[in-house]
Amino acid sequence: MADRRHALDRIDTTVAHPARRYNYLLGGKDNFAADRASAEAIERAMPTIRLAALENRAFLQRAVDFLAQQGIRQFLDIGTGIPTADNTHQVAQRIDPAARIVYVDNDPIVLTHARALLTSTPEGVTAYIDADLREPRTILDDPELRATLDFTKPMAVMLVAVLHFIRDDEDPQGVVDTILDALPPGSFVVASHSTWEYLPAGAIEALEAANADGRFRARTGAQLEHLFRRLDLIEPGVQSVSRWWPEQASQPRPSVEDVAFNAIVGRVR
């Protein structure tokens, strides 16, 4: 209870937070006026942003299902966001109830919801770490993470819709490399990243105006591939989230312009 009060004391409702904004775009209720105003500014610039959020979430679910089918039983989900339906542990534990999952986020509201809602099967384990991707060593050295996941066995790291909140001056390559260095061979990384490369100039100008604090950094597919050049990419390589395993997704598939998210799934050598 003390942890919950401490977390709630850290909530600043006057400043938009990515997890709460994403919750609003997905149709959730765990958000504040600042989050909604920020999301609506983005939506005016990119009217299909809610579709993009839903497609991104569906990609995560397809990726977890794929990896669990490949025998992966450990998942580290960084930037998990506020729990919705079919979270990483639910998808993985449907295939193997003994799967072990650690969630990481830096929003106190996510912390309180995760501890209440992200409950594991009796056979498996679900844990939550209050930490920031910009400090990857803090995540990797966390005692609860080390107690939950076995770093001598393959695992999957989920970096879904989170890397675009790391600015260039915050060393995104160093963040990625620190995580990759910790993973045993045969592990996987799943990442999705917002891109403006498919958008018209007017939309990009409006999105830049909505990004007044510079916290958001869209990157091209080539830049995303470069961040993960140490991995062996699974086909189809760098591709729009709407075109990853499209036969398993709802039809018809939206255009890459409407979704504006690229993704990769890669294997650690």
Side-chain angles (χ1 to χ4, degrees):
M1 189 67 172
D3 285 348
R4 185 176 185 273
R5 283 198 299 268
H6 176 68
L8 292 173
D9 288 344
R10 289 168 38 213
I11 297 172
D12 184 351
T13 63
T14 67
V15 177
H17 190 283
R20 301 195 302 261
R21 182 171 56 212
Y22 194 53
N23 173 262
Y24 176 64
L25 291 171
L26 288 170
K29 299 184 185 338
D30 299 301
N31 47 74
F32 299 99
D35 308 309
R36 295 189 287 273
S38 176
E40 287 162 4
I42 297 171
E43 190 170 21
R44 286 192 292 273
M46 183 182 171
T48 59
I49 186 62
R50 292 176 188 268
L51 172 64
L54 290 168
E55 283 293 318
N56 196 66
R57 186 73 183 175
F59 163 73
L60 177 147
Q61 293 160 354
R62 295 197 300 275
V64 172
D65 181 82
F66 168 78
L67 294 176
Q69 298 285 0
Q70 304 305 304
I72 296 296
R73 297 296 180 260
Q74 304 187 105
F75 293 82
L76 173 56
D77 188 334
I78 304 177
T80 181
I82 295 168
T84 60
D86 272 355
N87 301 284
T88 296
H89 76 285
Q90 292 166 315
V91 177
Q93 290 179 346
R94 274 201 297 268
I95 294 169
D96 186 344
R100 306 171 74 87
I101 295 88
V102 175
Y103 291 102
V104 181
D105 208 290
N106 68 344
D107 181 1
I109 283 187
V110 176
L111 170 65
T112 58
H113 281 273
R115 288 184 172 161
L117 300 175
L118 299 182
T119 55
S120 175
T121 58
E123 302 92 333
V125 177
T126 300
Y128 179 86
I129 298 173
D130 184 14
D132 194 315
L133 177 58
R134 288 170 289 184
E135 299 176 355
R137 280 261 51 103
T138 301
I139 297 171
L140 294 168
D141 294 338
D142 186 276
E144 190 167 10
L145 171 66
R146 292 288 171 167
T148 306
L149 303 184
D150 182 351
F151 276 74
T152 69
K153 297 179 180 178
M155 65 184 66
V157 174
M158 315 298 294
L159 296 168
V160 175
V162 65
L163 283 168
H164 44 236
F165 296 114
I166 299 180
R167 301 189 307 259
D168 290 343
D169 63 351
E170 293 172 324
D171 192 16
Q173 188 67 68
V175 169
V176 168
D177 286 344
T178 298
I179 293 170
L180 295 184
D181 287 344
L183 300 179
S187 295
F188 288 85
V189 176
V190 175
S192 69
H193 200 298
S194 183
T195 181
W196 293 347
E197 61 192 314
Y198 309 122
L199 302 179
I204 294 172
E205 183 178 354
L207 286 166
E208 287 175 341
N211 186 36
D213 63 359
R215 170 46 56 201
F216 186 85
R217 173 67 166 92
R219 294 183 175 93
T220 65
Q223 290 170 320
L224 176 62
E225 184 172 13
H226 187 75
L227 283 173
F228 293 99
R229 61 191 180 278
R230 293 169 52 185
L231 299 179
D232 293 327
L233 297 189
I234 305 300
E235 290 294 332
V238 178
Q239 185 56 270
S240 169
V241 293
S242 70
R243 294 184 177 177
W244 263 93
W245 304 298
E247 67 282 355
Q248 300 174 26
S250 60
Q251 303 295 328
R253 296 279 70 222
S255 69
V256 296
E257 293 83 2
D258 284 346
V259 174
F261 263 91
N262 285 320
I264 63 100
V265 178
R267 190 176 187 275
V268 177
R269 301 184 182 108

PDB file of all heavy atoms in Angstrom, residues 15 24 36 62 68 71 103-104 106 139 141 143 146 172 177 180 192 201 206-207 233 238 247 257 263:
ATOM      1  N   VAL A  15       0.888  17.379 -17.135  1.00  0.00           N
ATOM      2  CA  VAL A  15       1.817  17.086 -18.223  1.00  0.00           C
ATOM      3  C   VAL A  15       1.418  15.769 -18.872  1.00  0.00           C
ATOM      4  O   VAL A  15       1.222  14.765 -18.178  1.00  0.00           O
ATOM      5  CB  VAL A  15       3.273  17.005 -17.706  1.00  0.00           C
ATOM      6  CG1 VAL A  15       4.221  16.634 -18.844  1.00  0.00           C
ATOM      7  CG2 VAL A  15       3.684  18.313 -17.062  1.00  0.00           C
ATOM      8  N   TYR A  24      -5.626   6.701 -24.023  1.00  0.00           N
ATOM      9  CA  TYR A  24      -6.746   7.475 -24.568  1.00  0.00           C
ATOM     10  C   TYR A  24      -6.988   7.120 -26.035  1.00  0.00           C
ATOM     11  O   TYR A  24      -8.136   6.917 -26.456  1.00  0.00           O
ATOM     12  CB  TYR A  24      -6.454   8.961 -24.421  1.00  0.00           C
ATOM     13  CG  TYR A  24      -7.497   9.866 -25.041  1.00  0.00           C
ATOM     14  CD1 TYR A  24      -8.798   9.895 -24.553  1.00  0.00           C
ATOM     15  CD2 TYR A  24      -7.183  10.696 -26.115  1.00  0.00           C
ATOM     16  CE1 TYR A  24      -9.758  10.717 -25.113  1.00  0.00           C
ATOM     17  CE2 TYR A  24      -8.124  11.524 -26.681  1.00  0.00           C
ATOM     18  CZ  TYR A  24      -9.411  11.536 -26.181  1.00  0.00           C
ATOM     19  OH  TYR A  24     -10.366  12.360 -26.738  1.00  0.00           O
ATOM     20  N   ARG A  36      -5.283  13.918 -23.010  1.00  0.00           N
ATOM     21  CA  ARG A  36      -6.275  13.987 -24.086  1.00  0.00           C
ATOM     22  C   ARG A  36      -5.977  15.143 -25.035  1.00  0.00           C
ATOM     23  O   ARG A  36      -6.108  15.010 -26.262  1.00  0.00           O
ATOM     24  CB  ARG A  36      -7.675  14.105 -23.491  1.00  0.00           C
ATOM     25  CG  ARG A  36      -8.095  12.870 -22.688  1.00  0.00           C
ATOM     26  CD  ARG A  36      -9.541  12.903 -22.280  1.00  0.00           C
ATOM     27  NE  ARG A  36      -9.824  13.863 -21.218  1.00  0.00           N
ATOM     28  CZ  ARG A  36      -9.716  13.607 -19.916  1.00  0.00           C
ATOM     29  NH1 ARG A  36      -9.292  12.418 -19.505  1.00  0.00           N
ATOM     30  NH2 ARG A  36     -10.025  14.520 -19.019  1.00  0.00           N
ATOM     31  N   ARG A  62       0.410 -10.402 -32.189  1.00  0.00           N
ATOM     32  CA  ARG A  62       0.825 -11.402 -33.183  1.00  0.00           C
ATOM     33  C   ARG A  62       2.279 -11.809 -32.956  1.00  0.00           C
ATOM     34  O   ARG A  62       2.638 -12.981 -33.120  1.00  0.00           O
ATOM     35  CB  ARG A  62       0.629 -10.862 -34.607  1.00  0.00           C
ATOM     36  CG  ARG A  62      -0.818 -10.605 -34.977  1.00  0.00           C
ATOM     37  CD  ARG A  62      -1.030 -10.466 -36.474  1.00  0.00           C
ATOM     38  NE  ARG A  62      -0.291  -9.396 -37.105  1.00  0.00           N
ATOM     39  CZ  ARG A  62      -0.693  -8.121 -37.173  1.00  0.00           C
ATOM     40  NH1 ARG A  62      -1.839  -7.754 -36.584  1.00  0.00           N
ATOM     41  NH2 ARG A  62       0.024  -7.215 -37.817  1.00  0.00           N
ATOM     42  N   ALA A  68       6.081 -17.252 -28.880  1.00  0.00           N
ATOM     43  CA  ALA A  68       5.691 -18.342 -27.985  1.00  0.00           C
ATOM     44  C   ALA A  68       5.584 -19.656 -28.758  1.00  0.00           C
ATOM     45  O   ALA A  68       5.952 -20.721 -28.246  1.00  0.00           O
ATOM     46  CB  ALA A  68       4.378 -18.009 -27.289  1.00  0.00           C
ATOM     47  N   GLY A  71       8.803 -21.359 -29.041  1.00  0.00           N
ATOM     48  CA  GLY A  71       9.356 -21.916 -27.823  1.00  0.00           C
ATOM     49  C   GLY A  71       9.882 -20.909 -26.823  1.00  0.00           C
ATOM     50  O   GLY A  71      10.433 -21.295 -25.788  1.00  0.00           O
ATOM     51  N   TYR A 103       7.203  -6.786 -16.899  1.00  0.00           N
ATOM     52  CA  TYR A 103       6.787  -5.535 -17.517  1.00  0.00           C
ATOM     53  C   TYR A 103       7.595  -4.377 -16.939  1.00  0.00           C
ATOM     54  O   TYR A 103       7.913  -4.363 -15.739  1.00  0.00           O
ATOM     55  CB  TYR A 103       5.306  -5.274 -17.246  1.00  0.00           C
ATOM     56  CG  TYR A 103       4.356  -6.208 -17.954  1.00  0.00           C
ATOM     57  CD1 TYR A 103       3.752  -7.263 -17.280  1.00  0.00           C
ATOM     58  CD2 TYR A 103       4.050  -6.026 -19.300  1.00  0.00           C
ATOM     59  CE1 TYR A 103       2.856  -8.115 -17.920  1.00  0.00           C
ATOM     60  CE2 TYR A 103       3.163  -6.872 -19.949  1.00  0.00           C
ATOM     61  CZ  TYR A 103       2.570  -7.914 -19.258  1.00  0.00           C
ATOM     62  OH  TYR A 103       1.695  -8.756 -19.905  1.00  0.00           O
ATOM     63  N   VAL A 104       7.891  -3.380 -17.782  1.00  0.00           N
ATOM     64  CA  VAL A 104       8.640  -2.195 -17.351  1.00  0.00           C
ATOM     65  C   VAL A 104       7.943  -0.954 -17.884  1.00  0.00           C
ATOM     66  O   VAL A 104       7.604  -0.876 -19.071  1.00  0.00           O
ATOM     67  CB  VAL A 104      10.086  -2.223 -17.884  1.00  0.00           C
ATOM     68  CG1 VAL A 104      10.857  -0.985 -17.401  1.00  0.00           C
ATOM     69  CG2 VAL A 104      10.801  -3.491 -17.477  1.00  0.00           C
ATOM     70  N   ASN A 106       7.524   3.641 -16.761  1.00  0.00           N
ATOM     71  CA  ASN A 106       7.926   4.695 -15.821  1.00  0.00           C
ATOM     72  C   ASN A 106       6.776   5.619 -15.444  1.00  0.00           C
ATOM     73  O   ASN A 106       7.014   6.706 -14.908  1.00  0.00           O
ATOM     74  CB  ASN A 106       9.084   5.521 -16.409  1.00  0.00           C
ATOM     75  CG  ASN A 106       8.670   6.355 -17.610  1.00  0.00           C
ATOM     76  OD1 ASN A 106       7.618   6.126 -18.200  1.00  0.00           O
ATOM     77  ND2 ASN A 106       9.492   7.321 -17.986  1.00  0.00           N
ATOM     78  N   ILE A 139      17.261  -1.286 -15.488  1.00  0.00           N
ATOM     79  CA  ILE A 139      16.319  -2.370 -15.770  1.00  0.00           C
ATOM     80  C   ILE A 139      17.011  -3.723 -15.655  1.00  0.00           C
ATOM     81  O   ILE A 139      16.557  -4.621 -14.951  1.00  0.00           O
ATOM     82  CB  ILE A 139      15.707  -2.202 -17.170  1.00  0.00           C
ATOM     83  CG1 ILE A 139      14.901  -0.899 -17.262  1.00  0.00           C
ATOM     84  CG2 ILE A 139      14.834  -3.409 -17.533  1.00  0.00           C
ATOM     85  CD1 ILE A 139      14.450  -0.546 -18.663  1.00  0.00           C
ATOM     86  N   ASP A 141      19.710  -4.701 -14.231  1.00  0.00           N
ATOM     87  CA  ASP A 141      20.280  -5.071 -12.930  1.00  0.00           C
ATOM     88  C   ASP A 141      19.225  -5.195 -11.829  1.00  0.00           C
ATOM     89  O   ASP A 141      19.569  -5.490 -10.674  1.00  0.00           O
ATOM     90  CB  ASP A 141      21.326  -4.041 -12.497  1.00  0.00           C
ATOM     91  CG  ASP A 141      22.547  -4.031 -13.413  1.00  0.00           C
ATOM     92  OD1 ASP A 141      22.782  -5.047 -14.094  1.00  0.00           O
ATOM     93  OD2 ASP A 141      23.259  -3.003 -13.454  1.00  0.00           O
ATOM     94  N   PRO A 143      16.804  -6.505  -9.210  1.00  0.00           N
ATOM     95  CA  PRO A 143      16.737  -7.826  -8.569  1.00  0.00           C
ATOM     96  C   PRO A 143      15.484  -8.622  -8.937  1.00  0.00           C
ATOM     97  O   PRO A 143      15.543  -9.857  -9.082  1.00  0.00           O
ATOM     98  CB  PRO A 143      16.766  -7.499  -7.069  1.00  0.00           C
ATOM     99  CG  PRO A 143      17.393  -6.148  -6.982  1.00  0.00           C
ATOM    100  CD  PRO A 143      16.979  -5.425  -8.227  1.00  0.00           C
ATOM    101  N   ARG A 146      15.949 -10.147 -12.359  1.00  0.00           N
ATOM    102  CA  ARG A 146      16.885 -11.272 -12.319  1.00  0.00           C
ATOM    103  C   ARG A 146      16.282 -12.483 -11.621  1.00  0.00           C
ATOM    104  O   ARG A 146      16.630 -13.633 -11.930  1.00  0.00           O
ATOM    105  CB  ARG A 146      18.178 -10.829 -11.630  1.00  0.00           C
ATOM    106  CG  ARG A 146      18.971  -9.803 -12.432  1.00  0.00           C
ATOM    107  CD  ARG A 146      19.612 -10.447 -13.648  1.00  0.00           C
ATOM    108  NE  ARG A 146      20.204  -9.475 -14.567  1.00  0.00           N
ATOM    109  CZ  ARG A 146      21.038  -9.790 -15.560  1.00  0.00           C
ATOM    110  NH1 ARG A 146      21.348 -11.068 -15.765  1.00  0.00           N
ATOM    111  NH2 ARG A 146      21.519  -8.870 -16.357  1.00  0.00           N
ATOM    112  N   PRO A 172      20.071   6.548 -28.348  1.00  0.00           N
ATOM    113  CA  PRO A 172      19.235   5.363 -28.575  1.00  0.00           C
ATOM    114  C   PRO A 172      20.041   4.127 -28.972  1.00  0.00           C
ATOM    115  O   PRO A 172      19.687   3.005 -28.578  1.00  0.00           O
ATOM    116  CB  PRO A 172      18.278   5.799 -29.687  1.00  0.00           C
ATOM    117  CG  PRO A 172      18.956   6.954 -30.348  1.00  0.00           C
ATOM    118  CD  PRO A 172      19.727   7.649 -29.271  1.00  0.00           C
ATOM    119  N   ASP A 177      22.031  -1.268 -27.698  1.00  0.00           N
ATOM    120  CA  ASP A 177      23.193  -2.147 -27.585  1.00  0.00           C
ATOM    121  C   ASP A 177      23.355  -2.701 -26.166  1.00  0.00           C
ATOM    122  O   ASP A 177      23.753  -3.865 -25.987  1.00  0.00           O
ATOM    123  CB  ASP A 177      24.460  -1.402 -28.006  1.00  0.00           C
ATOM    124  CG  ASP A 177      24.544  -1.200 -29.512  1.00  0.00           C
ATOM    125  OD1 ASP A 177      23.801  -1.880 -30.248  1.00  0.00           O
ATOM    126  OD2 ASP A 177      25.351  -0.355 -29.947  1.00  0.00           O
ATOM    127  N   LEU A 180      20.931  -5.539 -25.985  1.00  0.00           N
ATOM    128  CA  LEU A 180      21.364  -6.678 -26.800  1.00  0.00           C
ATOM    129  C   LEU A 180      22.542  -7.401 -26.160  1.00  0.00           C
ATOM    130  O   LEU A 180      22.629  -8.635 -26.219  1.00  0.00           O
ATOM    131  CB  LEU A 180      21.729  -6.209 -28.209  1.00  0.00           C
ATOM    132  CG  LEU A 180      20.596  -5.632 -29.063  1.00  0.00           C
ATOM    133  CD1 LEU A 180      21.099  -5.297 -30.455  1.00  0.00           C
ATOM    134  CD2 LEU A 180      19.412  -6.580 -29.137  1.00  0.00           C
ATOM    135  N   SER A 192       8.695  -1.769 -32.516  1.00  0.00           N
ATOM    136  CA  SER A 192       7.962  -0.950 -33.484  1.00  0.00           C
ATOM    137  C   SER A 192       8.288   0.504 -33.208  1.00  0.00           C
ATOM    138  O   SER A 192       8.634   0.883 -32.084  1.00  0.00           O
ATOM    139  CB  SER A 192       6.454  -1.205 -33.415  1.00  0.00           C
ATOM    140  OG  SER A 192       5.913  -0.725 -32.208  1.00  0.00           O
ATOM    141  N   ALA A 201       3.901  16.323 -46.553  1.00  0.00           N
ATOM    142  CA  ALA A 201       4.654  17.380 -45.877  1.00  0.00           C
ATOM    143  C   ALA A 201       3.789  18.153 -44.891  1.00  0.00           C
ATOM    144  O   ALA A 201       4.250  18.521 -43.799  1.00  0.00           O
ATOM    145  CB  ALA A 201       5.261  18.323 -46.910  1.00  0.00           C
ATOM    146  N   ALA A 206       2.535  19.601 -39.155  1.00  0.00           N
ATOM    147  CA  ALA A 206       1.593  19.681 -38.032  1.00  0.00           C
ATOM    148  C   ALA A 206       2.037  18.780 -36.882  1.00  0.00           C
ATOM    149  O   ALA A 206       1.902  19.149 -35.704  1.00  0.00           O
ATOM    150  CB  ALA A 206       0.193  19.283 -38.503  1.00  0.00           C
ATOM    151  N   LEU A 207       2.589  17.618 -37.181  1.00  0.00           N
ATOM    152  CA  LEU A 207       3.077  16.718 -36.135  1.00  0.00           C
ATOM    153  C   LEU A 207       4.283  17.321 -35.415  1.00  0.00           C
ATOM    154  O   LEU A 207       4.421  17.195 -34.197  1.00  0.00           O
ATOM    155  CB  LEU A 207       3.437  15.360 -36.730  1.00  0.00           C
ATOM    156  CG  LEU A 207       2.249  14.478 -37.116  1.00  0.00           C
ATOM    157  CD1 LEU A 207       2.696  13.323 -38.003  1.00  0.00           C
ATOM    158  CD2 LEU A 207       1.542  13.949 -35.874  1.00  0.00           C
ATOM    159  N   LEU A 233      17.260 -10.414 -38.893  1.00  0.00           N
ATOM    160  CA  LEU A 233      15.861 -10.038 -38.962  1.00  0.00           C
ATOM    161  C   LEU A 233      15.013 -11.164 -39.545  1.00  0.00           C
ATOM    162  O   LEU A 233      15.384 -11.811 -40.519  1.00  0.00           O
ATOM    163  CB  LEU A 233      15.688  -8.775 -39.797  1.00  0.00           C
ATOM    164  CG  LEU A 233      16.367  -7.506 -39.261  1.00  0.00           C
ATOM    165  CD1 LEU A 233      15.934  -6.289 -40.071  1.00  0.00           C
ATOM    166  CD2 LEU A 233      16.083  -7.292 -37.776  1.00  0.00           C
ATOM    167  N   VAL A 238      12.263  -5.069 -42.027  1.00  0.00           N
ATOM    168  CA  VAL A 238      11.623  -3.827 -41.589  1.00  0.00           C
ATOM    169  C   VAL A 238      10.400  -3.601 -42.456  1.00  0.00           C
ATOM    170  O   VAL A 238      10.498  -3.508 -43.682  1.00  0.00           O
ATOM    171  CB  VAL A 238      12.590  -2.632 -41.690  1.00  0.00           C
ATOM    172  CG1 VAL A 238      11.881  -1.351 -41.273  1.00  0.00           C
ATOM    173  CG2 VAL A 238      13.807  -2.866 -40.811  1.00  0.00           C
ATOM    174  N   GLU A 247      -1.939 -12.100 -42.957  1.00  0.00           N
ATOM    175  CA  GLU A 247      -2.956 -13.157 -43.077  1.00  0.00           C
ATOM    176  C   GLU A 247      -3.558 -13.503 -41.712  1.00  0.00           C
ATOM    177  O   GLU A 247      -4.640 -14.084 -41.649  1.00  0.00           O
ATOM    178  CB  GLU A 247      -2.351 -14.404 -43.732  1.00  0.00           C
ATOM    179  CG  GLU A 247      -1.299 -15.125 -42.910  1.00  0.00           C
ATOM    180  CD  GLU A 247       0.079 -14.450 -42.943  1.00  0.00           C
ATOM    181  OE1 GLU A 247       0.236 -13.463 -43.691  1.00  0.00           O
ATOM    182  OE2 GLU A 247       0.975 -14.913 -42.214  1.00  0.00           O
ATOM    183  N   GLU A 257       0.458   4.345 -45.063  1.00  0.00           N
ATOM    184  CA  GLU A 257       0.316   5.776 -44.789  1.00  0.00           C
ATOM    185  C   GLU A 257      -0.595   6.025 -43.595  1.00  0.00           C
ATOM    186  O   GLU A 257      -0.342   6.911 -42.773  1.00  0.00           O
ATOM    187  CB  GLU A 257      -0.241   6.490 -46.024  1.00  0.00           C
ATOM    188  CG  GLU A 257       0.693   6.517 -47.220  1.00  0.00           C
ATOM    189  CD  GLU A 257       0.633   5.250 -48.060  1.00  0.00           C
ATOM    190  OE1 GLU A 257      -0.179   4.345 -47.738  1.00  0.00           O
ATOM    191  OE2 GLU A 257       1.406   5.150 -49.031  1.00  0.00           O
ATOM    192  N   ALA A 263       8.106  -1.858 -38.050  1.00  0.00           N
ATOM    193  CA  ALA A 263       8.404  -2.846 -37.020  1.00  0.00           C
ATOM    194  C   ALA A 263       9.464  -3.813 -37.507  1.00  0.00           C
ATOM    195  O   ALA A 263       9.691  -3.980 -38.707  1.00  0.00           O
ATOM    196  CB  ALA A 263       7.153  -3.609 -36.638  1.00  0.00           C
TER     197      ALA A 263
END
